[in-house]
PDB file of all heavy atoms in Angstrom:
ATOM      1  N   ASP A   1      12.360   5.301 -14.733  1.00 98.00           N
ATOM      2  CA  ASP A   1      13.013   4.201 -14.019  1.00 98.00           C
ATOM      3  C   ASP A   1      12.104   2.980 -13.919  1.00 98.00           C
ATOM      4  O   ASP A   1      10.881   3.101 -13.791  1.00 98.00           O
ATOM      5  CB  ASP A   1      13.406   4.629 -12.604  1.00 98.00           C
ATOM      6  CG  ASP A   1      14.608   5.552 -12.590  1.00 98.00           C
ATOM      7  OD1 ASP A   1      15.363   5.561 -13.575  1.00 98.00           O
ATOM      8  OD2 ASP A   1      14.786   6.260 -11.586  1.00 98.00           O
ATOM      9  N   ARG A   2      12.748   1.809 -13.949  1.00 98.00           N
ATOM     10  CA  ARG A   2      12.068   0.544 -13.689  1.00 98.00           C
ATOM     11  C   ARG A   2      12.508   0.031 -12.322  1.00 98.00           C
ATOM     12  O   ARG A   2      13.692   0.047 -12.009  1.00 98.00           O
ATOM     13  CB  ARG A   2      12.428  -0.501 -14.758  1.00 98.00           C
ATOM     14  CG  ARG A   2      11.818  -0.269 -16.119  1.00 98.00           C
ATOM     15  CD  ARG A   2      12.281  -1.336 -17.110  1.00 98.00           C
ATOM     16  NE  ARG A   2      13.671  -1.162 -17.453  1.00 98.00           N
ATOM     17  CZ  ARG A   2      14.113  -0.494 -18.511  1.00 98.00           C
ATOM     18  NH1 ARG A   2      13.252   0.069 -19.347  1.00 98.00           N
ATOM     19  NH2 ARG A   2      15.400  -0.371 -18.752  1.00 98.00           N
ATOM     20  N   HIS A   3      11.556  -0.454 -11.524  1.00 98.00           N
ATOM     21  CA  HIS A   3      11.854  -0.986 -10.198  1.00 98.00           C
ATOM     22  C   HIS A   3      11.418  -2.446 -10.132  1.00 98.00           C
ATOM     23  O   HIS A   3      10.237  -2.756 -10.350  1.00 98.00           O
ATOM     24  CB  HIS A   3      11.126  -0.182  -9.112  1.00 98.00           C
ATOM     25  CG  HIS A   3      11.299   1.298  -9.239  1.00 98.00           C
ATOM     26  ND1 HIS A   3      12.509   1.921  -9.018  1.00 98.00           N
ATOM     27  CD2 HIS A   3      10.425   2.281  -9.580  1.00 98.00           C
ATOM     28  CE1 HIS A   3      12.370   3.227  -9.197  1.00 98.00           C
ATOM     29  NE2 HIS A   3      11.109   3.465  -9.544  1.00 98.00           N
ATOM     30  N   HIS A   4      12.366  -3.317  -9.826  1.00 98.00           N
ATOM     31  CA  HIS A   4      12.033  -4.736  -9.674  1.00 98.00           C
ATOM     32  C   HIS A   4      11.484  -4.975  -8.281  1.00 98.00           C
ATOM     33  O   HIS A   4      12.077  -4.574  -7.284  1.00 98.00           O
ATOM     34  CB  HIS A   4      13.281  -5.601  -9.886  1.00 98.00           C
ATOM     35  CG  HIS A   4      13.026  -7.058  -9.696  1.00 98.00           C
ATOM     36  ND1 HIS A   4      12.347  -7.816 -10.632  1.00 98.00           N
ATOM     37  CD2 HIS A   4      13.325  -7.897  -8.676  1.00 98.00           C
ATOM     38  CE1 HIS A   4      12.261  -9.062 -10.190  1.00 98.00           C
ATOM     39  NE2 HIS A   4      12.838  -9.131  -9.011  1.00 98.00           N
ATOM     40  N   ASP A   5      10.328  -5.629  -8.202  1.00 97.00           N
ATOM     41  CA  ASP A   5       9.694  -5.921  -6.922  1.00 97.00           C
ATOM     42  C   ASP A   5       9.365  -7.404  -6.867  1.00 97.00           C
ATOM     43  O   ASP A   5       8.686  -7.942  -7.750  1.00 97.00           O
ATOM     44  CB  ASP A   5       8.413  -5.090  -6.770  1.00 97.00           C
ATOM     45  CG  ASP A   5       7.873  -5.117  -5.347  1.00 97.00           C
ATOM     46  OD1 ASP A   5       7.606  -6.219  -4.839  1.00 97.00           O
ATOM     47  OD2 ASP A   5       7.717  -4.034  -4.755  1.00 97.00           O
ATOM     48  N   VAL A   6       9.839  -8.069  -5.803  1.00 96.00           N
ATOM     49  CA  VAL A   6       9.640  -9.514  -5.680  1.00 96.00           C
ATOM     50  C   VAL A   6       8.188  -9.887  -5.426  1.00 96.00           C
ATOM     51  O   VAL A   6       7.824 -11.067  -5.479  1.00 96.00           O
ATOM     52  CB  VAL A   6      10.532 -10.106  -4.555  1.00 96.00           C
ATOM     53  CG1 VAL A   6      11.998  -9.937  -4.901  1.00 96.00           C
ATOM     54  CG2 VAL A   6      10.214  -9.450  -3.209  1.00 96.00           C
ATOM     55  N   GLY A   7       7.344  -8.900  -5.145  1.00 97.00           N
ATOM     56  CA  GLY A   7       5.926  -9.177  -4.964  1.00 97.00           C
ATOM     57  C   GLY A   7       5.205  -9.481  -6.265  1.00 97.00           C
ATOM     58  O   GLY A   7       4.094 -10.015  -6.240  1.00 97.00           O
ATOM     59  N   PHE A   8       5.814  -9.150  -7.387  1.00 98.00           N
ATOM     60  CA  PHE A   8       5.281  -9.519  -8.698  1.00 98.00           C
ATOM     61  C   PHE A   8       5.929 -10.851  -9.062  1.00 98.00           C
ATOM     62  O   PHE A   8       7.115 -10.910  -9.389  1.00 98.00           O
ATOM     63  CB  PHE A   8       5.609  -8.440  -9.737  1.00 98.00           C
ATOM     64  CG  PHE A   8       4.841  -7.163  -9.530  1.00 98.00           C
ATOM     65  CD1 PHE A   8       5.177  -6.290  -8.503  1.00 98.00           C
ATOM     66  CD2 PHE A   8       3.788  -6.834 -10.372  1.00 98.00           C
ATOM     67  CE1 PHE A   8       4.469  -5.105  -8.312  1.00 98.00           C
ATOM     68  CE2 PHE A   8       3.077  -5.650 -10.184  1.00 98.00           C
ATOM     69  CZ  PHE A   8       3.415  -4.787  -9.154  1.00 98.00           C
ATOM     70  N   ARG A   9       5.143 -11.916  -9.010  1.00 96.00           N
ATOM     71  CA  ARG A   9       5.724 -13.254  -8.932  1.00 96.00           C
ATOM     72  C   ARG A   9       5.127 -14.218  -9.950  1.00 96.00           C
ATOM     73  O   ARG A   9       3.942 -14.167 -10.256  1.00 96.00           O
ATOM     74  CB  ARG A   9       5.477 -13.780  -7.515  1.00 96.00           C
ATOM     75  CG  ARG A   9       6.241 -15.005  -7.136  1.00 96.00           C
ATOM     76  CD  ARG A   9       5.967 -15.386  -5.688  1.00 96.00           C
ATOM     77  NE  ARG A   9       7.013 -14.947  -4.787  1.00 96.00           N
ATOM     78  CZ  ARG A   9       6.812 -14.335  -3.634  1.00 96.00           C
ATOM     79  NH1 ARG A   9       5.596 -14.044  -3.245  1.00 96.00           N
ATOM     80  NH2 ARG A   9       7.825 -13.999  -2.874  1.00 96.00           N
ATOM     81  N   HIS A  10       5.984 -15.099 -10.460  1.00 96.00           N
ATOM     82  CA  HIS A  10       5.559 -16.183 -11.344  1.00 96.00           C
ATOM     83  C   HIS A  10       5.385 -17.432 -10.489  1.00 96.00           C
ATOM     84  O   HIS A  10       6.351 -17.962  -9.949  1.00 96.00           O
ATOM     85  CB  HIS A  10       6.622 -16.418 -12.432  1.00 96.00           C
ATOM     86  CG  HIS A  10       6.191 -17.350 -13.513  1.00 96.00           C
ATOM     87  ND1 HIS A  10       6.271 -18.712 -13.387  1.00 96.00           N
ATOM     88  CD2 HIS A  10       5.661 -17.116 -14.742  1.00 96.00           C
ATOM     89  CE1 HIS A  10       5.817 -19.283 -14.489  1.00 96.00           C
ATOM     90  NE2 HIS A  10       5.440 -18.335 -15.323  1.00 96.00           N
ATOM     91  N   TYR A  11       4.143 -17.909 -10.357  1.00 96.00           N
ATOM     92  CA  TYR A  11       3.871 -19.044  -9.471  1.00 96.00           C
ATOM     93  C   TYR A  11       2.538 -19.673  -9.837  1.00 96.00           C
ATOM     94  O   TYR A  11       1.583 -18.976 -10.206  1.00 96.00           O
ATOM     95  CB  TYR A  11       3.830 -18.569  -8.016  1.00 96.00           C
ATOM     96  CG  TYR A  11       3.484 -19.670  -7.022  1.00 96.00           C
ATOM     97  CD1 TYR A  11       4.433 -20.612  -6.639  1.00 96.00           C
ATOM     98  CD2 TYR A  11       2.202 -19.753  -6.474  1.00 96.00           C
ATOM     99  CE1 TYR A  11       4.115 -21.620  -5.741  1.00 96.00           C
ATOM    100  CE2 TYR A  11       1.881 -20.755  -5.564  1.00 96.00           C
ATOM    101  CZ  TYR A  11       2.844 -21.686  -5.200  1.00 96.00           C
ATOM    102  OH  TYR A  11       2.530 -22.680  -4.322  1.00 96.00           O
ATOM    103  N   CYS A  12       2.464 -20.980  -9.711  1.00 95.00           N
ATOM    104  CA  CYS A  12       1.202 -21.701  -9.860  1.00 95.00           C
ATOM    105  C   CYS A  12       1.268 -22.911  -8.935  1.00 95.00           C
ATOM    106  O   CYS A  12       2.036 -23.842  -9.186  1.00 95.00           O
ATOM    107  CB  CYS A  12       0.962 -22.140 -11.304  1.00 95.00           C
ATOM    108  SG  CYS A  12      -0.660 -22.908 -11.564  1.00 95.00           S
ATOM    109  N   GLY A  13       0.523 -22.877  -7.838  1.00 92.00           N
ATOM    110  CA  GLY A  13       0.590 -23.966  -6.872  1.00 92.00           C
ATOM    111  C   GLY A  13      -0.381 -23.751  -5.736  1.00 92.00           C
ATOM    112  O   GLY A  13      -1.210 -22.846  -5.770  1.00 92.00           O
ATOM    113  N   GLY A  14      -0.246 -24.581  -4.719  1.00 88.00           N
ATOM    114  CA  GLY A  14      -1.217 -24.564  -3.636  1.00 88.00           C
ATOM    115  C   GLY A  14      -0.756 -23.928  -2.351  1.00 88.00           C
ATOM    116  O   GLY A  14      -1.453 -24.035  -1.332  1.00 88.00           O
ATOM    117  N   ASP A  15       0.407 -23.290  -2.336  1.00 91.00           N
ATOM    118  CA  ASP A  15       0.906 -22.674  -1.107  1.00 91.00           C
ATOM    119  C   ASP A  15       0.235 -21.324  -0.899  1.00 91.00           C
ATOM    120  O   ASP A  15       0.542 -20.334  -1.572  1.00 91.00           O
ATOM    121  CB  ASP A  15       2.423 -22.510  -1.192  1.00 91.00           C
ATOM    122  CG  ASP A  15       3.044 -22.134   0.148  1.00 91.00           C
ATOM    123  OD1 ASP A  15       2.336 -21.519   0.976  1.00 91.00           O
ATOM    124  OD2 ASP A  15       4.230 -22.439   0.353  1.00 91.00           O
ATOM    125  N   VAL A  16      -0.693 -21.297   0.047  1.00 91.00           N
ATOM    126  CA  VAL A  16      -1.453 -20.080   0.320  1.00 91.00           C
ATOM    127  C   VAL A  16      -0.539 -18.927   0.733  1.00 91.00           C
ATOM    128  O   VAL A  16      -0.788 -17.764   0.416  1.00 91.00           O
ATOM    129  CB  VAL A  16      -2.508 -20.350   1.411  1.00 91.00           C
ATOM    130  CG1 VAL A  16      -3.184 -19.060   1.854  1.00 91.00           C
ATOM    131  CG2 VAL A  16      -3.544 -21.344   0.907  1.00 91.00           C
ATOM    132  N   CYS A  17       0.543 -19.238   1.425  1.00 92.00           N
ATOM    133  CA  CYS A  17       1.440 -18.187   1.920  1.00 92.00           C
ATOM    134  C   CYS A  17       2.160 -17.459   0.788  1.00 92.00           C
ATOM    135  O   CYS A  17       2.536 -16.297   0.936  1.00 92.00           O
ATOM    136  CB  CYS A  17       2.452 -18.780   2.899  1.00 92.00           C
ATOM    137  SG  CYS A  17       1.701 -19.312   4.446  1.00 92.00           S
ATOM    138  N   VAL A  18       2.360 -18.140  -0.334  1.00 93.00           N
ATOM    139  CA  VAL A  18       2.964 -17.462  -1.482  1.00 93.00           C
ATOM    140  C   VAL A  18       2.028 -16.372  -1.979  1.00 93.00           C
ATOM    141  O   VAL A  18       2.438 -15.238  -2.242  1.00 93.00           O
ATOM    142  CB  VAL A  18       3.286 -18.464  -2.610  1.00 93.00           C
ATOM    143  CG1 VAL A  18       3.758 -17.729  -3.859  1.00 93.00           C
ATOM    144  CG2 VAL A  18       4.345 -19.459  -2.169  1.00 93.00           C
ATOM    145  N   LEU A  19       0.750 -16.701  -2.083  1.00 92.00           N
ATOM    146  CA  LEU A  19      -0.213 -15.696  -2.523  1.00 92.00           C
ATOM    147  C   LEU A  19      -0.364 -14.588  -1.496  1.00 92.00           C
ATOM    148  O   LEU A  19      -0.458 -13.409  -1.847  1.00 92.00           O
ATOM    149  CB  LEU A  19      -1.575 -16.343  -2.788  1.00 92.00           C
ATOM    150  CG  LEU A  19      -1.712 -17.093  -4.114  1.00 92.00           C
ATOM    151  CD1 LEU A  19      -1.162 -18.498  -4.009  1.00 92.00           C
ATOM    152  CD2 LEU A  19      -3.148 -17.126  -4.577  1.00 92.00           C
ATOM    153  N   GLU A  20      -0.369 -14.953  -0.220  1.00 93.00           N
ATOM    154  CA  GLU A  20      -0.550 -13.978   0.846  1.00 93.00           C
ATOM    155  C   GLU A  20       0.590 -12.958   0.865  1.00 93.00           C
ATOM    156  O   GLU A  20       0.385 -11.797   1.227  1.00 93.00           O
ATOM    157  CB  GLU A  20      -0.646 -14.693   2.195  1.00 93.00           C
ATOM    158  CG  GLU A  20      -1.102 -13.845   3.341  1.00 93.00           C
ATOM    159  CD  GLU A  20      -2.555 -13.397   3.230  1.00 93.00           C
ATOM    160  OE1 GLU A  20      -3.298 -13.939   2.389  1.00 93.00           O
ATOM    161  OE2 GLU A  20      -2.929 -12.497   3.982  1.00 93.00           O
ATOM    162  N   SER A  21       1.793 -13.378   0.480  1.00 93.00           N
ATOM    163  CA  SER A  21       2.953 -12.493   0.536  1.00 93.00           C
ATOM    164  C   SER A  21       3.229 -11.785  -0.787  1.00 93.00           C
ATOM    165  O   SER A  21       4.196 -11.036  -0.898  1.00 93.00           O
ATOM    166  CB  SER A  21       4.197 -13.289   0.945  1.00 93.00           C
ATOM    167  OG  SER A  21       4.536 -14.218  -0.067  1.00 93.00           O
ATOM    168  N   SER A  22       2.392 -12.032  -1.801  1.00 96.00           N
ATOM    169  CA  SER A  22       2.627 -11.475  -3.125  1.00 96.00           C
ATOM    170  C   SER A  22       1.714 -10.294  -3.406  1.00 96.00           C
ATOM    171  O   SER A  22       0.725 -10.060  -2.704  1.00 96.00           O
ATOM    172  CB  SER A  22       2.410 -12.551  -4.190  1.00 96.00           C
ATOM    173  OG  SER A  22       3.299 -13.631  -4.013  1.00 96.00           O
ATOM    174  N   LEU A  23       2.042  -9.563  -4.453  1.00 97.00           N
ATOM    175  CA  LEU A  23       1.201  -8.472  -4.928  1.00 97.00           C
ATOM    176  C   LEU A  23       0.423  -8.905  -6.165  1.00 97.00           C
ATOM    177  O   LEU A  23      -0.789  -8.729  -6.244  1.00 97.00           O
ATOM    178  CB  LEU A  23       2.059  -7.251  -5.258  1.00 97.00           C
ATOM    179  CG  LEU A  23       2.840  -6.646  -4.094  1.00 97.00           C
ATOM    180  CD1 LEU A  23       3.793  -5.571  -4.592  1.00 97.00           C
ATOM    181  CD2 LEU A  23       1.895  -6.076  -3.053  1.00 97.00           C
ATOM    182  N   VAL A  24       1.144  -9.441  -7.141  1.00 97.00           N
ATOM    183  CA  VAL A  24       0.535  -9.925  -8.383  1.00 97.00           C
ATOM    184  C   VAL A  24       1.186 -11.251  -8.726  1.00 97.00           C
ATOM    185  O   VAL A  24       2.416 -11.373  -8.704  1.00 97.00           O
ATOM    186  CB  VAL A  24       0.732  -8.924  -9.546  1.00 97.00           C
ATOM    187  CG1 VAL A  24       0.138  -9.465 -10.838  1.00 97.00           C
ATOM    188  CG2 VAL A  24       0.105  -7.579  -9.212  1.00 97.00           C
ATOM    189  N   ILE A  25       0.359 -12.261  -9.059  1.00 96.00           N
ATOM    190  CA  ILE A  25       0.877 -13.596  -9.373  1.00 96.00           C
ATOM    191  C   ILE A  25       0.390 -14.034 -10.748  1.00 96.00           C
ATOM    192  O   ILE A  25      -0.788 -13.877 -11.087  1.00 96.00           O
ATOM    193  CB  ILE A  25       0.435 -14.623  -8.315  1.00 96.00           C
ATOM    194  CG1 ILE A  25       1.291 -14.486  -7.068  1.00 96.00           C
ATOM    195  CG2 ILE A  25       0.536 -16.038  -8.837  1.00 96.00           C
ATOM    196  CD1 ILE A  25       1.102 -15.580  -6.058  1.00 96.00           C
TER     197      ILE A  25
END
C-alpha cells in the first residue's frame, strides 16, 4: 500500500511554520 501524507511537502520559502509542521520538504 501507498499512503499519502501531507507532511511530505513541496515548498521553498521563508515561512518557518511550514517547515515546523512538515516532515520532509
Side-chain angles (χ1 to χ4, degrees):
D1 286 340
R2 288 178 289 266
H3 311 291
H4 178 74
D5 193 303
V6 296
F8 290 75
R9 193 177 261 134
H10 189 277
Y11 177 77
C12 185
D15 191 333
V16 172
C17 291
V18 173
L19 282 83
E20 192 68 13
S21 67
S22 299
L23 298 172
V24 178
I25 282 190

